[in-house]
Amino acid sequence: LFGHVAEPSIEMNAQDMERRQLKDGDLVHVTGKRGSIVVPVMASASLPPQQTFIAMHWGEEFLSGASSTGERLAGVNALTSPAYCPTSKQPEFKHAAIKVLKAELPWTLLGIAWLPDDVALQAREGLKELMGKFSFASCTPFGRERSGLLFRAAAYDAPDDAVLAEIEKLLGLGGTDVLRYADKKRGQRRAVQLRQADGNHSGSSNNKADTRLNAFLLAGDTSAQSWIKTLLQDELPAQTYGRMLLVPGAKPPVAVQPRGKQICTCFNITESDIATQLTQYKGNEVQRLAQLQGALKCGTNCGSCLPEVKRMVRMSIPASQRDATFS
């Protein structure tokens, strides 16, 4: 689930978003007669107007915050009916009438770190306790062979320094091997940790070619997430960045090439992986699909990505040569 959709969001028809002057990633208040939550909004081509969707696994363990009165916000199921079948315990269909309004929370935070497995579990519990310090907060795991944590938060004003220091500590950013920047007047704070690919601190080896970004925190100005998040999660080389990682802004100081949208969660295959592979093939759609699956295995396990894989195979063939094999 986390590999397919990395963070909680409410999906909405693009026309509904435009009418409300919303763009992807904006925070919104989602309110029903049973409760209210704050969550980012994302456009969806699969939803008709006047309908929204939030996956039901985004409970308060991963999505929370605090109301204006200080009451802790629950996850998505606070909006839906608690009714269920007394025999099977099957919940009633998860639907409810809601109101969606833009949330004005100007101060934002994003912290991401690779952590040892046992430390990641402890850190998640610690971060969960801090969610109530913000108007909006989410904490989600990521990674396949490694354990990673992503903590996102937003508020009207910056919290106390002690709260930010605790978040840094839980994300492994409390040591002396961390590059830091702070501007308390502007409510900005940054911390980054570079390490060698073998797990050593960047300062403990003469080989800088394998330097990777291991953890970072952006607070106040989080616009750099557009590239620094990719740098960490895709485990791209970071030796050329150094202190430039502390520079604010959405434009990276050195070009960053993201791996792209993940298509096959089972085998960690991205859209760009498939597109690159398809340039090598000839033949009809069935032949190309067989070659692709032989090389990357995408769509051969759970099969949930197969429709998207077939669409990409079809689009890789000139329109005049396409057949109706996958219709």
Side-chain angles (χ1 to χ4, degrees):
L1 289 173
F2 296 114
H4 182 61
V5 179
E7 299 182 59
S9 66
I10 179 169
E11 297 178 22
M12 180 181 285
N13 179 275
Q15 294 179 356
D16 286 341
M17 287 179 59
E18 185 177 358
R19 280 194 292 271
R20 290 167 175 78
Q21 298 183 334
L22 298 171
K23 61 181 184 296
D24 281 351
D26 282 350
L27 291 172
V28 293
H29 294 285
V30 182
T31 305
K33 67 179 182 180
R34 300 177 185 89
S36 180
I37 64 173
V38 177
V39 67
V41 63
M42 301 296 291
S44 172
S46 64
L47 286 171
Q50 303 301 310
Q51 288 190 19
T52 62
F53 172 78
I54 308 177
M56 68 178 182
H57 65 273
W58 296 122
E60 61 181 329
E61 182 178 3
F62 308 109
L63 172 65
S64 189
S67 69
S68 58
T69 59
E71 181 181 359
R72 180 158 176 143
L73 300 179
V76 60
N77 291 301
L79 302 173
T80 57
S81 170
Y84 62 89
C85 171
T87 303
S88 69
K89 310 304 181 186
Q90 173 72 24
E92 186 180 54
F93 287 121
K94 299 286 188 176
H95 62 270
I98 58 164
K99 177 173 63 176
V100 178
L101 294 174
K102 187 172 183 178
E104 299 293 345
L105 300 172
W107 187 91
T108 57
L109 176 146
L110 176 64
I112 307 183
W114 293 112
L115 297 166
D117 293 347
D118 57 337
V119 175
L121 289 172
Q122 296 172 16
R124 223 174 95 191
E125 290 302 311
L127 290 169
K128 206 162 72 173
E129 294 301 314
L130 294 174
M131 284 181 164
K133 302 287 186 182
F134 304 93
S135 301
F136 156 79
S138 66
C139 184
T140 54
F142 66 89
R144 296 175 66 87
E145 288 78 21
R146 302 175 66 190
S147 294
L149 273 183
L150 185 153
F151 185 80
R152 192 182 291 276
Y156 294 102
D157 299 297
D160 294 338
D161 286 346
V163 174
L164 297 178
E166 182 63 19
I167 294 172
E168 288 182 355
K169 181 180 177 181
L170 289 167
L171 293 175
L173 289 164
T176 57
D177 61 333
V178 177
L179 301 174
R180 301 183 184 279
Y181 166 85
D183 185 338
K184 192 168 184 179
K185 184 177 181 180
R186 297 184 178 182
Q188 295 186 17
R189 181 174 177 138
R190 301 182 199 94
V192 298
Q193 182 187 65
L194 295 166
R195 288 192 175 178
Q196 297 297 310
D198 61 5
N200 295 324
H201 293 186
S202 60
S204 63
S205 170
N206 292 325
N207 179 18
K208 301 295 184 181
D210 267 344
T211 301
R212 299 287 189 270
L213 181 60
N214 192 65
F216 74 83
L217 180 136
L218 305 175
D221 178 2
T222 56
S223 59
Q225 68 173 298
S226 58
W227 59 273
I228 198 171
K229 181 171 175 279
T230 298
L231 194 66
L232 184 143
Q233 291 187 318
D234 287 0
E235 300 185 78
L236 302 176
Q239 66 275 5
T240 58
Y241 291 86
R243 293 185 179 276
M244 289 189 293
L245 291 166
L246 299 177
V247 177
K251 185 177 180 180
V254 179
V256 175
Q257 295 295 328
R259 290 190 64 225
K261 176 186 174 183
Q262 189 177 60
I263 300 296
C264 177
T265 302
C266 297
F267 297 104
N268 196 26
I269 306 300
T270 67
E271 190 173 45
S272 58
D273 293 333
I274 295 173
T276 300
Q277 199 72 28
L278 286 173
T279 61
Q280 306 173 32
Y281 302 147
K282 294 183 179 181
N284 62 29
E285 294 174 29
V286 173
Q287 293 169 331
R288 292 187 184 215
L289 177 64
Q291 294 175 80
L292 179 66
Q293 292 184 321
L296 301 181
K297 298 184 179 180
C298 47
T300 62
N301 192 37
C302 77
S304 62
C305 68
L306 196 53
E308 181 66 11
V309 171
K310 288 182 175 180
R311 184 195 68 79
M312 292 188 68
V313 170
R314 175 181 286 271
M315 297 308 295
S316 72
I317 301 174
S320 60
Q321 299 176 25
R322 294 174 195 165
D323 56 38
T325 306
F326 293 149
S327 296

